[in-house]
């Protein structure tokens, strides 16, 4: 899509260390921290699985992994574009509202006589337009993405309410809504799981093996340096928000079909789960650091953990606490060393 | 350079480990079978089986009304020697209830008693449960899934009666004239919308009462307060508010209690919990409100679930079943969008004379 000049090919390698990082080993320690984080996630995943299967006889049932895939599908799909956006040091908090708005538009058009396929296409267009609005405000006007997307979070949900409330649309073709109750024939895998894994591979290749991916990382590490080395920072950010809009709309379509119905409040509050999963996957909220593998592992851990806690009938308040603690851990541990160094540097100066 | 190689290698190892894990897990799965029960025939048994497992899935685990209803349900299941499990989320969304339905299927529950957060979004999951042989009972807010799955709705009171009686109650207090508004819960809540429909119908009897607005507080105190304040500033001459939800009416009562000047022209009524409304009734903020006893509602739902799972109750119109200390109940035929149902009884009107007698 955007062919980057060759200077941009290696920005991550050549990016100057952050002013607050000690000279020389900046990049190396980042890499090492990253490897350790993903290994830690694998250990946590294994621990969750061992705990789950020993605590609940139902955990290794055939349907359980289908359920986990089904429950996590839309959240996981929305996490991928958010990963890329957070790597550029921006954020998109409007993801769940975008899911709700696109599902609502799809439902409204379907109930007014459109074919389901045309209604789905329209939902994707709505997603692209919503993403373009976020992208325009953040990339072109240079407004802070956290403020912009909190605004569009409310805006998209409000539009959805105008379009559909208080109605609930049902009656989608059974051949499509079967994705909500049945795995892919002959397997125990949910359709949304496969879609997520395919998108994850695409996202992984783009982020880790293309000039565009390096440009995304460079944008997050040092926006000015990236700009001066010829990376079109604004254009990259704009198109990432559009991608996010389209994939959230796609998640909205899946969500609607899965529930065989849609109302304006579909997916309310899911944005926090999506952000939590991305951060727990080891993606730095300050930008410049994050891997697709980390996010995939994070999805698996959170999905399994939720399922175990529900099966053990752990109170939902406690489940919320568990997710909150995970989120804190994922922010504290990777940034703890940096914070410590900063404090030490400050005391030395005095 | 060597450092980078180590990094790359360990990352590969991590990836391979993760893949191996997924593969092992998929292989470890065994297959499960399902059976479908026909519930529309007459009862086949006369007694309730012991050792039945009943999952109660309220709208959320915090709403005081739901908590009391579920306690009633647990009492019924324990009386009959069964096991009750309560499972739901902290938010009133279908997405939060679906994992609980899945847990019930995996635990091979005999019955699910659910208050639906969405009339349709739960149908696929509940149908799966039904196909696995689990009997489905809904209470408080019905699901509209047609016959997939077949289920019994435990109606707290006749839907029409709740809607019309609230309008009559308000009309009596405001002399049948003035602007009125409704403070509801979620815009998509089945029960709220059904009651509001009957309220509008009943309002035709009162030509001098105009319904000017219906606002939605999402059963959240903060949201309810915000929409209430918006309502009061948009319609300063409002004569009455009907709030057919316990969260809405208690939030509104609390606001009016601190803004007593409004009471000169504004009357509040609706559906409330006596325990929450007691002080407002005694200090004159609210004169009358109504509700049924949620613990009896849960108790009846619990016995209906036990009966269906034992074969001593059925969905056949006109068939009867015994609900412990509440006596015998008759299954009503499906009508309109409501499937087979059972009605608990007429709502009780609470005022300063009787509110202290109720402890829920």
């Amino acid at each position: 899509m955007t062919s980057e000049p060759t200077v941009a090919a290696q920005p991550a390698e050549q990016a100057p260390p952050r002013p607050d990082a000690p000279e020389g080993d900046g990049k190396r320690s980042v890499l090492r921290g990253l490897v350790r984080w993903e290994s830690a996630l694998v250990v946590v995943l294994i621990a969750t699985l061992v705990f789950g299967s020993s605590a609940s006889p139902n955990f290794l049932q055939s349907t359980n992994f289908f359920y986990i895939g089904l429950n996590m599908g839309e959240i996981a799909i929305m996490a991928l574009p958010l990963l890329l956006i957070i790597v550029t040091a921006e954020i998109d908090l409007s993801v769940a509202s975008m899911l709700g708005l696109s599902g609502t538009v799809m439902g409204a058009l379907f109930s007014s006589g459109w074919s389901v396929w045309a209604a789905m296409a329209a939902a994707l267009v709505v997603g692209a337009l919503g993403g373009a609005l976020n992208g325009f405000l953040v990339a072109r006007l240079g407004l802070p993405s956290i403020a912009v997307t909190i605004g569009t979070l409310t805006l998209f949900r409000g539009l959805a309410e105008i379009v559909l409330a208080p109605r609930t649309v049902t009656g989608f073709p059974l051949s499509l809504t079967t994705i909500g109750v049945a795995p892919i024939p002959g397997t125990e895998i949910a359709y949304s799981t496969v879609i997520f894994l395919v998108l994850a591979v695409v996202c992984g290749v783009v982020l880790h093996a293309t000039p565009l991916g390096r440009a995304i990382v460079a944008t997050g590490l040092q926006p000015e340096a990236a700009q001066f080395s010829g990376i079109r920072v604004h254009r990259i950010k704009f198109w990432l928000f559009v991608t996010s809009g389209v994939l959230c709309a796609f998640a909205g379509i899946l969500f609607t079909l899965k529930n065989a119905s849609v109302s304006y409040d579909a997916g309310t509050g899911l944005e926090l789960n999506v952000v939590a999963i991305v951060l727990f996957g080891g993606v730095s909220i300050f930008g410049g650091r994050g891997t697709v593998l980390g996010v995939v592992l994070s999805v698996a851990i959170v999905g399994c953990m939720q399922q175990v806690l529900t099966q053990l009938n752990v109170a939902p308040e406690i489940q919320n606490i568990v997710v909150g603690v995970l989120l804190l851990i994922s922010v504290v541990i990777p940034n703890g060393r940096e914070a410590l160094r900063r404090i030490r540097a400050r005391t030395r100066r005095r | 350079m060597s450092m980078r190689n180590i990094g790359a290698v360990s990352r590969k190892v991590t990836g391979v480990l993760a893949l191996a894990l997924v593969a092992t897990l998929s292989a470890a799965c065994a297959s499960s079978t399902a059976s479908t029960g026909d519930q529309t025939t007459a009862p086949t048994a006369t007694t309730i089986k012991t050792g039945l497992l009943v999952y109660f899935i309220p709208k959320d685990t915090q709403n005081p009304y739901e908590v009391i209803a579920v306690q009633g349900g647990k009492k019924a299941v324990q009386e009959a020697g069964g096991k009750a499990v309560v499972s739901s989320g902290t938010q009133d969304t279908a997405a939060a209830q679906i994992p609980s339905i899945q847990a019930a299927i995996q635990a091979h529950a005999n019955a699910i008693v659910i208050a639906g957060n969405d009339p349709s979004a739960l149908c696929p999951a509940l149908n799966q449960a039904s196909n696995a042989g689990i009997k489905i009972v809904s209470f408080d807010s019905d699901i509209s899934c047609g016959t997939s799955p077949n289920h019994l709705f435990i109606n707290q009171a006749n839907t029409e009666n709740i809607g019309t009686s609230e309008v009559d109650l308000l009309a009596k207090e405001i002399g049948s004239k003035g602007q009125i508004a409704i403070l509801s819960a979620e815009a998509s809540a089945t029960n709220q919308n059904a009651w509001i429909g009957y309220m509008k119908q009943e309002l035709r009897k009162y030509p001098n009462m105009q319904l000017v607005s219906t606002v939605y507080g999402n059963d959240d105190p903060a949201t309810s307060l915000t929409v209430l304040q918006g309502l009061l500033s948009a319609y300063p001459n409002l004569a009455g508010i009907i709030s057919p939800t316990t969260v809405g009416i208690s939030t509104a009562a609390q606001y009016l209690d601190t803004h007593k000047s409004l009471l000169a022209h504004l009357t509040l009524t609706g559906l409330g919990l006596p325990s929450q409304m007691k002080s407002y009734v005694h200090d004159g903020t609210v004169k009358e409100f109504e509700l049924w006893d949620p613990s009896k509602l849960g108790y009846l739902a619990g016995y209906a679930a036990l009966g269906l799972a034992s074969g001593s109750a059925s969905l056949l119109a006109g068939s009867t079943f015994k609900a412990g200390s509440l006596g015998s109940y008759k299954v009503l035929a499906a009508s309109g969008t409501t499937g087979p149902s059972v009605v608990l009884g007429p709502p009780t009107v609470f005022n300063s004379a009787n509110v202290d007698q109720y402890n829920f």
Side-chain angles (χ1 to χ4, degrees):
Chain A
M1 176 176 61
T2 35
S3 67
E4 298 304 329
T6 40
V7 245
Q10 310 246 317
E13 319 280 328
Q14 290 161 4
R18 294 180 175 211
D20 46 3
E23 276 170 33
D25 69 354
K27 179 192 139 47
R28 232 178 258 168
S29 72
V30 163
L31 239 184
R32 261 160 52 198
L34 201 148
V35 168
R36 272 199 215 120
W37 187 256
E38 276 150 11
S39 313
L41 287 182
V42 171
V43 172
V44 172
L45 180 58
I46 292 171
T48 310
L49 292 171
V50 169
F51 172 71
S53 49
S54 64
S56 162
N58 301 321
F59 191 74
L60 287 178
Q61 270 186 12
S62 63
T63 40
N64 204 32
F65 294 95
F66 166 62
Y67 286 151
I68 292 172
L70 197 63
N71 296 345
M72 297 304 292
E74 296 82 21
I75 295 172
I77 288 169
M78 293 192 290
L80 291 172
L82 186 63
L83 154 71
L84 300 181
I85 288 175
I86 292 183
V87 169
T88 68
E90 300 289 354
I91 197 160
D92 185 356
L93 294 177
S94 68
V95 289
S97 295
M98 193 70 252
L99 175 151
L101 176 58
S102 54
T104 296
V105 167
M106 171 183 159
L109 293 175
F110 177 72
S111 72
S112 70
W114 286 43
S115 88
V116 71
W117 297 105
M120 285 190 209
L124 292 176
V125 171
V126 167
L129 290 176
L133 174 64
N134 279 334
F136 175 76
L137 294 173
V138 173
R140 298 290 154 198
L141 301 188
L143 300 171
S145 54
I146 189 161
V148 166
T149 57
I150 284 177
T152 50
L153 176 155
T154 318
L155 172 71
F156 295 159
R157 189 64 71 186
L159 289 175
E161 195 166 355
I162 291 170
V163 170
L164 206 57
R167 286 191 299 148
T168 296
V169 177
T170 57
F172 296 102
L174 276 177
S175 57
L176 292 173
T177 55
T178 183
I179 66 161
V181 288
I184 295 171
T187 67
E188 287 295 344
I189 303 165
Y191 288 88
S192 54
T193 306
V194 174
I195 294 170
F196 166 65
L197 291 176
V198 169
L199 288 172
V201 170
V202 172
C203 186
V205 169
V206 168
L207 181 62
H208 304 305
T210 65
L212 174 62
R214 289 180 194 177
I216 288 171
V217 174
T219 301
L221 280 177
Q222 288 287 340
E224 287 85 7
Q227 179 96 51
F228 284 127
S229 63
I231 294 173
R232 292 167 180 177
V233 170
H234 301 308
R235 184 183 284 194
I236 285 176
K237 284 185 181 174
F238 177 82
W239 285 107
L240 284 181
F241 276 102
V242 173
T243 308
S244 174
V246 172
L247 285 180
C248 291
F250 186 65
I253 292 170
L254 289 177
F255 196 83
T256 302
L257 295 178
K258 177 177 91 174
N259 290 334
S261 68
V262 65
S263 57
Y264 82 93
D265 54 0
T268 303
L270 287 187
E271 59 275 342
L272 290 182
N273 302 42
V274 180
V275 172
I277 279 173
V278 173
L279 296 186
F280 187 59
V283 179
S284 168
I285 190 80
F286 302 113
R289 196 179 70 207
T291 65
V292 174
L293 181 61
V295 171
V296 172
L297 288 169
S298 167
V299 166
I301 291 167
V302 172
C304 289
M305 205 170 276
Q306 252 170 22
Q307 203 74 0
V308 175
L309 294 175
T310 308
Q311 273 174 0
L312 295 181
N313 203 32
V314 172
E317 300 78 26
I318 306 220
Q319 298 191 23
N320 287 348
I321 291 172
V322 170
V323 174
V325 169
L326 279 187
L327 193 52
L328 280 178
I329 289 173
S330 61
V331 178
V332 168
I333 292 184
N335 296 300
R337 265 170 70 185
E338 233 168 90
L340 265 180
R341 245 182 242 136
R342 226 172 289 168
I343 291 166
R344 235 181 279 151
R346 217 170 286 160
T347 41
R348 221 178 291 151
R349 235 174 278 151
R350 273 173 214 157
Chain B
M1 196 59 201
S2 63
M3 213 56 194
R4 273 172 63 192
N5 282 341
I6 291 170
V9 167
S10 15
R11 254 191 297 176
K12 263 180 209 156
V13 169
T14 311
V16 168
L17 256 176
L19 276 177
L21 212 64
V22 170
T24 320
L25 285 169
S26 324
C29 299
S31 69
S32 61
T33 51
S35 67
T36 315
D38 183 13
Q39 301 170 20
T40 47
T41 52
T44 53
T46 49
T47 52
I48 287 169
K49 291 180 191 160
T50 54
L52 293 175
L53 174 61
V54 181
Y55 260 71
F56 287 89
I57 308 180
K59 287 184 157 190
D60 63 65
T61 53
Q62 302 294 316
N63 183 323
Y65 173 85
E66 301 274 320
V67 169
I68 293 161
V70 164
Q71 277 166 356
K74 280 168 90 172
K75 191 176 156 225
V77 173
Q78 278 153 9
E79 273 176 16
K83 189 181 168 225
V85 173
V86 184
S87 179
S88 191
T90 50
Q91 286 179 324
D92 283 13
T93 62
Q97 286 182 311
I98 288 173
S100 298
I101 298 172
Q102 294 166 347
I105 297 173
Q106 294 186 315
H108 302 291
N110 300 95
I112 289 174
V113 179
I114 190 163
N117 279 330
D118 188 294
S120 309
L122 296 166
C123 298
L126 285 173
N127 200 31
Q128 242 188 338
S130 174
N131 287 339
I134 301 175
K135 306 299 178 193
I136 314 291
V137 172
S138 65
F139 75 103
D140 182 26
S141 187
D142 196 11
I143 43 169
S144 52
C145 304
T147 55
S148 42
N150 276 316
H151 71 281
L152 184 65
F153 175 47
I154 310 301
N155 209 340
Q156 45 268 35
N158 183 294
T159 305
E160 180 177 351
N161 197 294
I162 295 171
T164 57
S165 64
E166 284 177 80
V167 170
D168 294 339
L169 208 58
L170 182 64
K172 191 179 76 186
E173 290 189 47
I174 64 173
S176 308
K177 61 171 191 286
Q179 294 182 328
I180 67 157
I182 297 169
L183 170 57
S184 178
E186 294 83 20
S188 57
T190 326
N191 54 355
Q192 296 280 324
N193 290 331
W195 295 333
I196 292 169
Y198 282 111
M199 286 181 200
K200 288 177 178 164
Q201 200 175 308
E202 184 72 1
L203 276 169
R204 289 190 208 131
K205 287 190 194 165
Y206 303 99
N208 296 326
M209 280 166 70
Q210 299 105 35
L211 177 64
V212 290
S213 182
T214 301
V215 292
Y216 300 95
N218 295 342
D219 264 356
D220 170 58
T223 315
S224 300
L225 183 61
T226 312
V227 295
L228 173 71
Q229 287 169 332
L231 192 63
L232 292 174
S233 61
Y235 301 100
N237 298 320
L238 208 59
I241 295 175
I242 299 176
S243 185
T245 160
T246 59
V247 179
I249 195 173
S250 60
T251 306
Q254 194 183 6
Y255 183 79
L256 293 182
D257 201 31
T258 50
H259 297 76
K260 282 226 159 55
S261 60
L262 288 167
L263 291 172
H265 63 86
L266 183 61
T267 300
L268 173 68
T269 191
L271 303 179
L273 286 168
S275 56
Q276 284 185 334
M277 300 300 289
K278 218 168 268 187
S279 61
Y280 304 121
V281 169
H282 287 312
D283 75 4
T285 308
V286 175
K287 287 196 190 70
E288 287 189 321
F289 65 97
E290 54 180 34
L291 199 68
W292 47 92
D293 186 336
S295 70
K296 283 184 187 161
L297 178 68
Y299 186 80
L300 173 57
Y303 265 102
L306 293 164
L308 287 175
S310 307
S312 62
S314 86
L315 299 183
L316 188 72
S319 66
T320 58
F321 66 93
K322 203 168 174 306
S325 59
L326 288 178
S328 192
Y329 279 85
K330 192 192 229 171
V331 175
L332 304 177
S335 74
T337 54
T338 311
S341 65
V342 172
V343 175
L344 177 66
T348 310
V349 174
F350 303 101
N351 52 37
S352 59
N354 70 354
V355 72
D356 287 331
Q357 296 163 18
Y358 298 88
N359 59 358
F360 61 86

